[in-house]
């Protein structure tokens, strides 16, 4: 009997939190992919999460792609991307573009900027914390 009560408590808590989670909407989170490789240079990207798989697409110089989404309770939201550029898309980098924290984020921005030397990540807008990722080269 005690196990059944504990089981019911867990089920009710889980579904109750999901309903409460949806009752208080917040601004969507965003992943931005920006091409700053240089004039005439194309950036290819492919991003996916558990629920969404974007087609492989290209960005021309100074173009950007915006992916907007909300965090989900019970399924840890995670977006992974691979960026490629160069002759035969020889240079590439694969990374986790966004991962949900232990609590829901509202309006989080992950701005990924592809340049010839490296890929730069700016988290949110203030303060602009910058992280760098290097390009790998296929043989």
């Amino acid at each position: 009997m005690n196990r059944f009560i504990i089981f019911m408590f867990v089920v009710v808590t889980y579904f109750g939190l999901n309903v409460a989670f949806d009752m208080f909407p917040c601004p969507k989170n965003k992943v931005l992919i920006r091409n700053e490789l240089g004039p005439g240079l194309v950036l290819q990207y492919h991003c996916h999460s558990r629920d969404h798989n974007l087609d492989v697409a290209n960005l021309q110089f100074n173009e950007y792609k915006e992916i907007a989404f909300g965090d989900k309770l019970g399924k840890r939201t995670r977006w992974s991307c691979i960026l490629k550029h160069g002759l035969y898309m020889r240079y590439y980098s694969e990374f986790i573009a966004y991962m949900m924290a232990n609590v829901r984020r509202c309006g989080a921005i992950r701005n990924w900027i592809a340049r010839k030397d490296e890929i730069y990540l700016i988290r949110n807008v203030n303060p602009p914390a910058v992280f760098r990722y290097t390009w790998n080269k296929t043989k």
Side-chain angles (χ1 to χ4, degrees), residues 10 15 24 27 46 58 60 69 71 75 101 111 116 126 131:
V10 169
F15 286 109
F24 301 104
H46 180 213
N58 295 326
Q60 300 299 321
F69 54 92
D71 285 340
K75 289 183 179 179
N111 191 4
K116 282 185 184 179
N126 295 313
F131 301 91

Side-chain angles (χ1 to χ4, degrees), residues 2-100:
N2 284 340
R3 288 183 183 175
F4 178 73
I5 292 172
I6 292 171
F7 172 75
M8 290 305 294
F9 175 75
V10 169
V11 169
V12 169
T13 302
Y14 175 77
F15 286 109
L17 285 175
N18 273 331
V19 170
F21 206 61
D22 293 336
M23 286 175 50
F24 301 104
C26 67
K28 296 225 180 249
N29 301 314
K30 295 178 185 175
V31 169
L32 302 170
I33 309 289
R34 182 178 307 277
N35 179 356
E36 291 186 7
L37 292 169
L41 298 177
V42 174
L43 176 69
Q44 183 183 88
Y45 69 91
H46 180 213
C47 297
H48 61 90
S49 70
R50 284 188 181 119
D51 301 327
H52 303 285
N53 188 7
L54 304 180
D55 292 333
V56 175
N58 295 326
L59 294 172
Q60 300 299 321
F61 178 59
N62 279 337
E63 287 184 337
Y64 70 93
K65 170 67 177 176
E66 179 179 303
I67 306 166
F69 54 92
D71 285 340
K72 294 184 179 179
L73 187 64
K75 289 183 179 179
R76 195 166 196 164
T77 305
R78 185 174 102 171
W79 279 89
S80 298
C81 294
I82 184 167
L83 304 182
K84 296 180 180 182
H85 79 94
L87 187 62
Y88 304 113
M89 297 299 161
R90 169 180 262 169
Y91 300 98
Y92 70 95
S93 186
E94 189 167 5
F95 52 89
I96 297 171
Y98 175 88
M99 182 180 292
M100 181 179 169

